[in-house]
Amino acid sequence: MAEFSKEKKTILSGIKPSGELTLGSYIGAIRNWKQLQEDYNCIYCIADLHAITVRQDPALLRKRTIMQLAQYIACGLDPEKNVLFLQSHVPAHAELGWVLNCYTMVGELNRMTQFKDKSAKHADNINAGLYDYPVLMAADILLYQTDLVPVGEDQKQHVELCRDIANRFNGVYGDVFKMPEPFIPKLGARIMSLSDPESKMSKSESDAGCITLLDRPEDIMARFKRAVTDSETCVRFDPVNKKGISNLMTICSAATGMTFEQIENQFAGKGYGEFKPFVGEAVVELLRPVREETERLLKDKAYLNSVLDNGAQQASYLARRTLSKVYRKVGFYSTDK
Ligand code: TRP
């Protein structure tokens, strides 16, 4: 069981199990989470309620959920130090989400860029859940009196909305919610697709330039060798004019610990033909232990289920404290003495 300490700040983040975890989610998110586990109270949610805002295949959703848990653990998130749980196992998320709906303005939701992007992409299924997604995310965060929310750039607007909702609620009822801050990692915050360095690496787009955590080494190598670059031959960091190469350098630096300068020096006078497989090898070695450990864990469903049961129990305990306070503040009648 994760021991929570009052002296430590609380961190909460989540990833939807709607696609496989990618190299982007590893470098940009999960790998950093691992470093936080000693210094913070850490809560990580597998956001399955969020996943169904876009139509999912039920069997695949179930499979990806347990795979995502196995991968969290394989990436180094120790269930003894972090609370790892499934959002649908803790009803307080949906419950607080409802209450917060009544403190969120439709004008605010209309401004969310992710909603605009997603409704353009899924024009045949612009459902109310997709619209309301940021309110559920606010509930995820506020339930745990979270201090810091590690997210990518694309989620910053949602964390800001969460703060606005919390402020409005606290303005009416006093200090009920802690004010959370977004926590955006510097390096590798945004890993781009290998085949289209203009867009974020993403499994859901069936992106040919996406690396997932469970990809075989030969597939990883093939994708790096085909990575889109530019017509120069110089390995140099220039995220404006050389997006492909700069993305490969970011990945290389994250995988090897080399600085951009060291990479530039090592490949001075050498072409992309040498650089691309070098990055590929580094990524193969980075992901090898994660893949092997995930495969091992997936054979032990009893253990994974016990992690989820414990996680749900701990998360529910923490979440209920906030939810009861909210219910009392808004005036719901309680039979408790
Ligand atoms: N919306 C986030 C994403 O798409 C996932 C998420 C759900 C989340 N709940 C959260 C992230 C709470 C941070 C905090 O990536």
Side-chain angles (χ1 to χ4, degrees), residues 210-284:
C210 174
I211 306 289
T212 77
L213 297 192
L214 303 182
D215 281 339
R216 303 275 133 196
E218 50 280 20
D219 298 329
I220 297 178
M221 289 306 293
R223 259 171 247 149
F224 272 96
K225 286 184 188 156
R226 266 188 269 116
V228 168
T229 49
D230 53 62
S231 54
E232 286 184 13
T233 50
C234 167
V235 176
R236 176 169 54 83
F237 191 75
D238 176 353
V240 178
N241 300 306
K242 293 167 76 70
K243 290 205 165 67
I245 284 296
S246 303
N247 187 42
L248 291 178
M249 287 180 71
T250 303
I251 295 171
C252 184
S253 170
T256 62
M258 290 165 81
T259 63
F260 291 152
E261 205 184 342
Q262 285 168 328
I263 299 170
E264 287 173 353
N265 290 339
Q266 179 162 339
F267 288 92
K270 296 179 189 157
Y272 298 162
E274 270 184 66
F275 180 53
K276 292 204 269 188
F278 178 82
V279 186
E281 296 279 358
V283 169
V284 166

Side-chain angles (χ1 to χ4, degrees), residues 12-16 47 50 114 133 137 140-141 149-151 155:
L12 176 131
S13 197
I15 299 182
K16 298 186 293 287
H50 277 104
Q114 184 171 302
Y133 183 114
M137 182 164 156
D140 299 343
I141 297 168
V149 189
V151 281
Q155 295 295 316

Side-chain angles (χ1 to χ4, degrees), residues 76-88:
L77 296 182
D78 180 352
E80 299 293 321
K81 295 186 181 152
N82 304 268
V83 177
L84 307 177
F85 74 102
L86 202 52
Q87 196 182 22
S88 65

Side-chain angles (χ1 to χ4, degrees), residues 56-64:
Q56 302 291 328
D57 173 79
L60 197 55
L61 179 60
R62 237 186 303 279
K63 181 168 162 231
R64 281 183 175 148

Side-chain angles (χ1 to χ4, degrees), residues 7-221:
E7 280 86 71
K8 292 183 184 172
K9 289 192 168 174
T10 296
I11 284 201
L12 176 131
S13 197
I15 299 182
K16 298 186 293 287
S18 51
E20 271 158 56
L21 292 178
T22 67
L23 178 65
S25 39
Y26 182 60
I27 294 176
I30 307 172
R31 203 172 63 144
N32 306 317
W33 297 357
K34 179 184 160 191
Q35 288 161 9
L36 303 171
Q37 65 192 0
E38 310 298 337
D39 301 325
Y40 297 88
N41 299 322
C42 297
I43 308 175
Y44 298 112
C45 143
I46 299 176
D48 55 351
L49 298 179
H50 277 104
I52 62 164
T53 54
V54 171
R55 204 66 79 229
Q56 302 291 328
D57 173 79
L60 197 55
L61 179 60
R62 237 186 303 279
K63 181 168 162 231
R64 281 183 175 148
T65 300
I66 197 72
M67 273 177 49
Q68 189 166 313
L69 175 74
Q71 292 178 83
Y72 276 3
I73 301 170
C75 288
L77 296 182
D78 180 352
E80 299 293 321
K81 295 186 181 152
N82 304 268
V83 177
L84 307 177
F85 74 102
L86 202 52
Q87 196 182 22
S88 65
H89 288 180
V90 181
H93 290 251
E95 293 170 286
L96 181 62
W98 175 256
V99 174
L100 296 182
N101 273 326
C102 304
Y103 298 82
T104 307
M105 302 300 128
V106 292
E108 292 174 310
L109 294 179
N110 288 339
R111 283 197 291 276
M112 295 294 117
T113 54
Q114 184 171 302
F115 173 67
K116 291 184 207 166
D117 293 348
K118 287 206 175 172
S119 18
K121 231 180 262 164
H122 305 277
D124 55 340
N125 184 21
I126 308 179
N127 62 75
L130 193 62
Y131 185 62
D132 201 33
Y133 183 114
V135 181
L136 180 61
M137 182 164 156
D140 299 343
I141 297 168
L142 298 176
L143 271 177
Y144 300 95
Q145 305 294 341
T146 302
D147 295 279
L148 297 168
V149 189
V151 281
E153 265 313 320
D154 60 325
Q155 295 295 316
K156 208 172 147 198
Q157 195 185 27
H158 290 162
V159 180
E160 273 154 18
L161 174 67
C162 170
R163 290 167 56 89
D164 291 340
I165 299 171
N167 251 325
R168 181 172 298 125
F169 195 93
N170 285 353
V172 180
Y173 302 104
D175 278 344
V176 177
F177 298 124
K178 170 90 67 72
M179 208 51 64
E181 307 269 354
F183 190 56
I184 297 178
K186 276 184 213 78
L187 180 73
R190 227 165 130 76
I191 298 294
M192 311 307 277
S193 162
L194 302 185
S195 56
D196 172 14
E198 301 274 341
S199 51
K200 186 173 155 183
M201 182 179 281
S202 145
K203 192 60 196 171
S204 28
E205 315 299 310
S206 58
D207 176 355
C210 174
I211 306 289
T212 77
L213 297 192
L214 303 182
D215 281 339
R216 303 275 133 196
E218 50 280 20
D219 298 329
I220 297 178
M221 289 306 293

